[in-house]
Amino acid sequence: MTAPTPTSSRISAPVRIGTGPIDIDDVVAVARHDAHVEIDADARAAVADSRAVVEALAADPAPHYGISTGFGALASTFIASEQRTQLQRSLVRSHAAGSGPEVEREVIRSLMLLRISTLLTGRTGIRLSTVDSYVAMLNAGITPIVREYGSLGCSGDLAPLAHCALALMGEGEVRDAFGVVMPAAEALAAAGIDAVVLAEKEGLALINGTDGMLGQLSLAIHDLRMLLTSADIAAGMSVEALLGTDAVFAADLQALRPQHGQALSASNLRSMLAGSPIVASHKPSTHTVVQDAYSLRCAPQVHGAARDTVDHAALVAGRELASAVDNPVVTIDGRVESNGNFHGAPVAYVLDFLAIVAADVASMSERRTDRMLDPARNHGLPAFLAHDAGVDSGLMIAQYTAAGIVSELKRLAVPSSVDSIPSSAMQEDHVSMGWAGARKLRTAIDGLTRVIAIEVMTAARALDLRAPLEPGDGSSAVLELVRAEIDGPGPDRFLSPEIEAVASLVRRGAVRDAAAERLGGLN
C-alpha cells in the first residue's frame, strides 16, 4: 500500500509575522504552498502587553464588553468570573454554525493566517500561548472543516472563523496534513498540540474578523494578475489567427488615452505580434479589412481597465492586510474600545468589482473564439476549424461551453454587497455579504480560466491551419506548449479532456510563462 502524502509539499520559505502587515505573496505561500509561519519577537511583546490590559479589566467589578459581558444583543449582560471560560466556549460552539459543502483548503488556511496576523498586532488581548497553538495547528497542516454558508460579512466572518477556533479547542472535525477527516482532538494530539481552554476575550478575538473574505480577495488578486496576462496572450494569438492588424496597438495611439493598465496590455500585444510572419503577410494591401472587430482592436482597453480594477482591489487589500480587525480592541494607549471595523464593506465592494471584471474579460475572449469559428469572419479558415466541415463539427461545441460559462459569469457579476439581511435581534442591522461575494468570485475566476483556455485552444488550431505561415515567437511558444498536451487539427475527437488539459495550463500559469520566457518578459 502506498503511503499517503501531504496535500501540499512545502516549497516556500517561512513567513515571519510581526506587528506589521503581511502581503499577498505571504498569503499565497501559506495558503497554497504550506509555508511555515514564524512569530517575530516584537509581536510576542505586543501580545503580552495587550493581554495584561485585558486581565486587569477582567478583575474589575465593572462590566467591560467582550471581557465580562455577553455578546451582540447580550452585550449589556454581566458575566461572573467563574462563568467566563464557559462563555468563551459557548460563543465559539454556537457560532460554528456553518452549513453546506466544505470550503477549499487554501481558503481556510488563508483565513487562519490572516487571523494570526491580526492577533499578533497586539490589539486583540489574546494570550500568547493561544496564538502559539493556533500557529502550531496551521504549521501542522491541520485544516478545520469550514462550511460554505454561515457568514454575512459582519461582524466579520464569524461562522468560518468559529469553526477554526472550535478546532483549536479540540472540538469539531478537521482534515490532517494528508487530507484525512478526523476529530480535531485526535489531529491535535497527533501533532503534539494541547487543546486550548479559552480565557476572557479570546473567543471574540478568534472569530471577529474579515479574514475569510480578505483571504479569498488576496488569492483572487494573485490569480487575476496571471489571468489578465494570459488573456493578452490569447488575444495576441487570436489577432494573428484572424489576420488582424498590430497597428492599433502602437504606443503613440495608446498614449492618447493614458490609462495605466491599457498601456501594459497594449505593450503585451505588441510583444506578441512583433516579427510575426502572419502579420507581415497581409501588411501591404492583400487584406482588405479596414478595421478589426472590437474584440480584437479594443482588447487593451478592456484588459487594461481590468488590470486597473485589480490594482484598486490590491490597494484595498493592502490596507486590510495592515489592519487589526476585532471588537473590542486594545488601543495603543491601553484602552479597550468597541468599534465597527469588522464591517466587511471595503472588501465586499472590490470582490464584487472583480466579478464584473472576470465576466467582461471572459465575454470578450468568447467573442474572439466565436469569430475564429465562423467562415464568414475568419478570413479563409474552415467552418468551426473542422477537418471536414459537415462530417466534422470541429470546435463548434467548445464555443458553446465558453458561451455557457460567460452567461454564468454575468449572473455572478450581480453584486452581493447591495444586499443586507439584519441579524442578532436587529443589533447587526446592516451587513456586507462579503463572504458571498468572495465565494462567487472564486467561481468566476475558474470560469474565466476556462474561457481563456478555450480561446487559446481555438487560436492554436487556427494558427496550425494558417501553415505554412508561421506565428510570432510568443504564439509559437504557447502553440508548442499546447501541442505537447493535445493534438493539432484532425478528425473530430473527444474534446472535454483537451479543454481540461489547456485549462490546467492556463490555471497554473504555464501559458503565461511560456510566452513570457520566449519574449523576454511580459507585463
Side-chain angles (χ1 to χ4, degrees):
M1 178 177 174
T2 303
T5 56
T7 53
S8 175
S9 58
R10 293 190 172 98
I11 60 174
S12 295
V15 171
R16 294 193 64 82
I17 305 180
T19 56
I22 59 175
D23 60 27
I24 288 173
D25 288 342
D26 293 330
V27 176
V28 173
V30 172
R32 290 185 173 159
H33 306 302
D34 284 11
H36 269 217
V37 170
E38 298 175 351
I39 304 175
D40 272 348
D42 68 324
R44 291 185 175 279
V47 169
D49 289 345
S50 66
R51 183 62 199 177
V53 172
V54 168
E55 290 180 352
L57 293 175
D60 188 346
H64 298 277
Y65 175 65
I67 298 173
S68 54
T69 71
F71 313 109
L74 304 175
S76 60
T77 303
F78 181 79
I79 307 296
S81 58
E82 63 272 14
Q83 295 179 297
R84 290 175 194 166
T85 293
Q86 181 59 38
L87 170 68
Q88 303 302 314
R89 187 182 298 117
S90 296
L91 173 70
V92 172
R93 286 173 174 168
S94 66
H95 284 54
S99 182
E102 287 184 44
V103 173
E104 304 86 355
R105 181 179 190 269
E106 68 176 22
V107 171
I108 301 167
R109 287 182 61 81
S110 72
L111 74 86
M112 291 172 70
L113 170 69
L114 294 173
R115 184 69 334 213
I116 288 166
S117 181
T118 290
L119 297 175
L120 292 176
T121 62
R123 306 274 68 85
T124 71
I126 201 162
R127 293 174 299 168
L128 185 56
S129 59
T130 302
V131 186
D132 280 332
S133 295
Y134 207 155
V135 170
M137 183 168 72
L138 181 63
N139 285 343
I142 297 170
T143 306
I145 291 179
V146 174
R147 300 294 175 181
E148 178 81 13
Y149 305 109
S151 174
L152 302 181
C154 189
S155 298
D157 295 311
L158 289 173
L161 285 163
H163 280 269
C164 295
L166 191 71
L168 188 64
M169 292 163 45
E171 301 182 24
E173 286 190 321
V174 302
R175 289 187 180 273
D176 69 3
F178 302 97
V180 178
V181 176
M182 64 179 62
E186 289 185 17
L188 292 178
I193 303 167
D194 291 332
V196 173
V197 178
L198 300 179
E200 292 93 345
K201 177 65 176 64
E202 291 194 309
L204 276 180
L206 288 168
I207 71 172
N208 205 343
T210 57
D211 308 290
M213 62 185 94
L214 178 57
Q216 291 173 90
L217 174 62
S218 300
L219 295 171
I221 290 167
H222 176 271
D223 292 345
L224 283 169
R225 283 176 166 158
M226 178 274 293
L227 287 173
L228 291 176
T229 301
S230 302
D232 290 341
I233 293 165
M237 295 176 69
S238 296
V239 169
E240 286 188 277
L242 288 164
L243 304 183
T245 179
D246 61 347
V248 294
F249 307 130
D252 60 341
L253 295 177
Q254 302 299 317
L256 295 174
R257 191 185 201 185
Q259 296 285 358
H260 179 66
Q262 177 179 326
L264 296 177
S265 287
S267 175
N268 283 347
L269 282 161
R270 289 196 300 273
S271 295
M272 285 291 297
L273 300 172
S276 165
I278 291 179
V279 172
S281 72
H282 59 82
K283 271 192 173 178
S285 58
T286 56
H287 188 50
T288 58
V289 174
V290 177
Q291 295 186 115
D292 289 329
Y294 287 4
S295 59
L296 305 176
R297 191 177 3 145
C298 301
Q301 286 75 14
V302 173
H303 296 181
R307 285 171 176 267
D308 290 340
T309 304
V310 173
D311 285 346
H312 171 65
L315 176 65
V316 173
R319 292 168 178 163
E320 287 292 309
L321 290 166
S323 301
V325 175
D326 192 14
N327 182 47
V329 294
V330 181
T331 64
I332 293 173
D333 61 0
R335 293 174 292 116
V336 176
E337 298 285 357
S338 293
N339 66 90
N341 286 334
F342 50 76
H343 199 290
V347 182
Y349 294 160
V350 293
L351 287 164
D352 283 338
F353 205 169
L354 293 180
I356 293 171
V357 161
D360 202 38
V361 172
S363 179
M364 179 173 260
S365 173
E366 182 276 330
R367 288 293 79 205
R368 291 189 294 264
T369 294
D370 180 69
R371 184 167 288 270
M372 284 184 281
L373 301 179
D374 183 357
R377 295 178 291 151
N378 66 17
H379 306 297
L381 295 171
F384 305 108
L385 307 184
H387 177 69
D388 183 1
V391 174
D392 293 315
S393 295
L395 300 183
M396 178 194 295
I397 308 303
Q399 183 268 331
Y400 285 33
T401 301
I405 294 170
V406 168
S407 182
E408 175 68 11
L409 296 189
K410 291 174 183 177
R411 290 190 288 271
L412 293 172
V414 175
S416 295
S417 57
V418 297
D419 187 27
S420 177
I421 297 180
S423 57
S424 193
M426 293 297 288
Q427 175 72 7
E428 299 168 7
D429 59 353
H430 184 277
V431 296
S432 76
M433 296 297 182
W435 174 270
R439 299 307 295 159
K440 69 183 181 66
L441 177 59
R442 284 183 66 83
T443 303
I445 288 173
D446 177 71
L448 173 60
T449 301
R450 296 174 187 279
V451 172
I452 291 172
I454 290 170
E455 181 184 1
V456 168
M457 184 176 77
T458 303
R461 180 179 287 206
L463 289 170
D464 279 335
L465 293 171
R466 291 293 182 196
L469 290 174
E470 296 182 356
D473 289 344
S475 294
S476 293
V478 176
L479 188 55
E480 292 165 12
L481 176 74
V482 170
R483 288 291 164 257
E485 297 289 331
I486 65 173
D487 291 336
D492 282 353
R493 53 186 183 260
F494 186 19
L495 273 184
S496 179
E498 299 191 0
I499 294 172
E500 293 303 302
V502 181
S504 177
L505 294 176
V506 173
R507 184 178 296 109
R508 67 177 190 257
V511 167
R512 176 201 59 189
D513 294 345
E517 183 177 346
R518 185 71 58 87
L519 296 171
L522 288 170
N523 298 307

